[in-house]
Amino acid sequence: MTYTPITPFRRPIDAADLQRQQAPQPDMPPQGVNKWEVLRELGVARSHLGVTDRELVVLQALLSFHPGTILGGNSADLVVHPSNASICERLNGMACSTMRRHLAGLVRAGLITRRDSPNGKRYARRYGDEKEAFGFDLSPLPRRFAEICAAAEAIRAEEQAYKRLRQTVSLMRRDLAGLVAYGAECAPHPLWARLTGCVAAVARDLRRKLSLPDLVELETVLLEGLTEARGIIEPNTKDMSTNDAHSQHHYQNSNTDPHDLEPCFEKAGVEVGPNPEMSEPVQTDGNLPTLPLGLVKAACPEVQTYSPDKIRHWHDLVRAAHIVRPMMGISPSAWEDAQQAMGPENAAVVLAAMLERIEEIQSPGGYLRALTRKADAGMFSCGPMIMALMRKEAA
């Protein structure tokens, strides 16, 4: 048949359908596309394309009537012509009226096109080598495959950004709670009562589904709270004598679980042997720990022993960590991975905390790699490690 009708059978003309038919169509992919891959991508991008999960179930039933796996390419026959009863049967007895409503939704979304016969029936006939089919045309799926994939990738990226931001907010709330508890003991101030309320409010908010702007707002509030808390704690801890702290006893209880440093982490695996290299270049970035440096020095006095100068800045702590790393039996690759995942300053804090309880950690290199994996997943903060050491000291 040389003529393609533009009006539906016994249904009113839709202006959107007419506009879609007149618009230029994307080219068909020369190799075609896998119909089930199209369906998977549509499952992710359905909100962007304006279709529901039930409509995709109906589309899946239509795709099952296509004999091949590839849509397009060498197969130009993309019209399926099942009866309403056959479609409902593959939909496990879905009501025919419901099925027709979902079919109309797929047509409105431009994922399928109706090819109506003169009497409205769906069938296929052959005239010599030419085949004439009336039913549902699936050609929009391979033609729009690139658009569907782009929409799906954008949604995945947005979901990933949301997940990472929510994890960041959760870690910041935990760090702020630890700083408030420590600050209330060592530096009484009216600010702690307000920050305690802030921590409780954020914890309540995190129990429900938040929008991305809400999470951004919580991140801003927590960052301000952390900055204020560090501003009060830092002056009260910067003058603590590390030499006096060095004379304190070490913890040598073999029954103590080394993972008290970070209770949520599993035991690390076996690590390669130590490297005798003692000097490495110091590199720092702007991703500084949320804890004050004075608090870290008070909780981890051992690291000062390995520093040629007094630790006054974060780069001094990083330099000391470079020196103590081979002594702890941590390989250069494990140390490099930790710096990449956490940042040099946070990695140095971790090493300083591990040094305080080195006798209780069977495999320092493996333990550091376990923490690195957590940092790569966005689920790590060095704050609880320091707070655990402070609580041990207070006890």
Side-chain angles (χ1 to χ4, degrees):
M1 184 177 66
T2 59
Y3 180 74
T4 301
I6 61 174
T7 59
F9 181 78
R10 291 183 179 177
R11 288 183 298 274
I13 298 177
D14 192 302
D17 287 341
L18 289 177
Q19 185 178 6
R20 191 180 299 113
Q21 293 174 13
Q22 296 171 359
Q25 297 295 318
D27 294 333
M28 186 77 69
Q31 302 299 326
V33 297
N34 187 298
K35 63 183 181 181
W36 304 123
E37 186 176 352
V38 176
L39 192 64
R40 284 193 296 270
E41 295 299 298
L42 279 172
V44 178
R46 65 180 185 272
S47 59
H48 175 80
L49 298 171
V51 293
T52 65
D53 53 349
R54 297 280 283 173
E55 290 169 352
L56 290 184
V57 172
V58 175
L59 179 61
Q60 180 178 3
L62 286 181
L63 289 173
S64 69
F65 287 101
H66 185 269
T69 303
I70 302 300
L71 300 178
N74 296 328
S75 175
D77 185 10
L78 294 178
V79 178
V80 294
H81 40 83
S83 65
N84 287 347
S86 298
I87 299 175
C88 291
E89 182 179 352
R90 295 203 180 183
L91 290 170
N92 300 318
M94 177 184 288
C96 188
S97 58
T98 304
M99 182 272 296
R100 291 199 304 269
R101 186 172 68 253
H102 293 325
L103 280 175
L106 292 171
V107 173
R108 284 194 302 271
L111 298 179
I112 61 174
T113 304
R114 296 183 189 270
R115 295 285 182 251
D116 289 339
S117 66
N119 62 358
K121 301 295 184 179
R122 302 175 197 139
Y123 59 86
R125 285 179 180 172
R126 286 194 176 274
Y127 300 94
D129 295 335
E130 181 182 354
K131 180 181 178 181
E132 185 178 57
F134 298 98
F136 300 104
D137 188 356
L138 303 176
S139 62
L141 294 176
R143 292 183 185 277
R144 300 183 62 184
F145 182 60
E147 174 194 348
I148 293 169
C149 289
E153 285 302 315
I155 290 176
R156 289 191 184 99
E158 182 179 346
E159 290 175 350
Q160 184 67 19
Y162 178 89
K163 180 180 179 181
R164 293 185 67 87
L165 180 58
R166 188 177 180 89
Q167 290 174 344
T168 298
V169 170
S170 180
L171 291 173
M172 292 175 69
R173 183 207 63 80
R174 190 172 68 183
D175 285 348
L176 182 58
L179 286 179
V180 168
Y182 173 75
E185 295 180 2
C186 71
H189 194 280
L191 175 67
W192 305 130
R194 179 171 65 83
L195 292 183
T196 299
C198 175
V199 170
V202 172
R204 287 194 301 269
D205 290 339
L206 289 176
R207 296 192 189 105
R208 56 188 178 88
K209 179 71 174 180
L210 299 173
S211 64
L212 188 62
D214 291 337
L215 284 176
V216 172
E217 182 178 354
L218 289 181
E219 182 186 31
T220 302
V221 171
L222 289 172
L223 185 59
E224 293 176 354
L226 287 168
T227 302
E228 292 178 323
R230 291 176 61 180
I232 294 176
I233 294 176
E234 184 74 32
N236 289 273
T237 57
K238 65 181 181 180
D239 294 330
M240 290 184 177
S241 173
T242 57
N243 293 328
D244 293 341
H246 174 59
S247 63
Q248 297 173 358
H249 66 280
H250 300 294
Y251 299 102
Q252 299 182 2
N253 183 4
S254 60
N255 296 323
T256 304
D257 186 358
H259 295 81
D260 285 344
L261 290 174
E262 184 63 51
C264 69
F265 295 152
E266 299 177 355
K267 291 186 177 181
V270 178
E271 168 63 5
V272 297
N275 187 293
E277 182 180 358
M278 300 292 293
S279 178
E280 301 180 20
V282 176
Q283 296 180 351
T284 63
D285 57 24
N287 186 23
L288 297 179
T290 56
L291 297 169
L293 178 58
L295 179 59
V296 174
K297 294 194 296 181
C300 310
E302 274 296 313
V303 71
Q304 179 63 66
T305 308
Y306 299 93
S307 177
D309 302 312
K310 188 173 183 180
I311 297 176
R312 301 180 183 274
H313 305 284
W314 287 113
H315 62 82
D316 296 329
L317 182 63
V318 175
R319 183 179 293 105
H322 281 309
I323 295 173
V324 77
R325 186 271 307 165
M327 300 179 185
M328 297 174 66
I330 297 174
S331 68
S333 62
W335 176 234
E336 181 64 26
D337 292 343
Q339 292 184 92
Q340 290 289 336
M342 307 175 189
E345 294 83 1
N346 285 288
V349 173
V350 170
L351 244 66
M354 291 172 58
L355 181 63
E356 290 299 311
R357 305 179 66 175
I358 190 64
E359 295 180 357
E360 302 168 13
I361 302 177
Q362 296 180 356
S363 175
Y367 184 63
L368 182 61
R369 287 192 184 277
L371 301 183
T372 300
R373 289 193 294 271
K374 292 289 184 180
D376 282 331
M379 301 174 61
F380 173 74
S381 171
C382 59
M385 302 179 72
I386 300 302
M387 293 305 168
L389 290 173
M390 296 300 295
R391 288 192 297 270
K392 281 285 186 179
E393 181 64 27

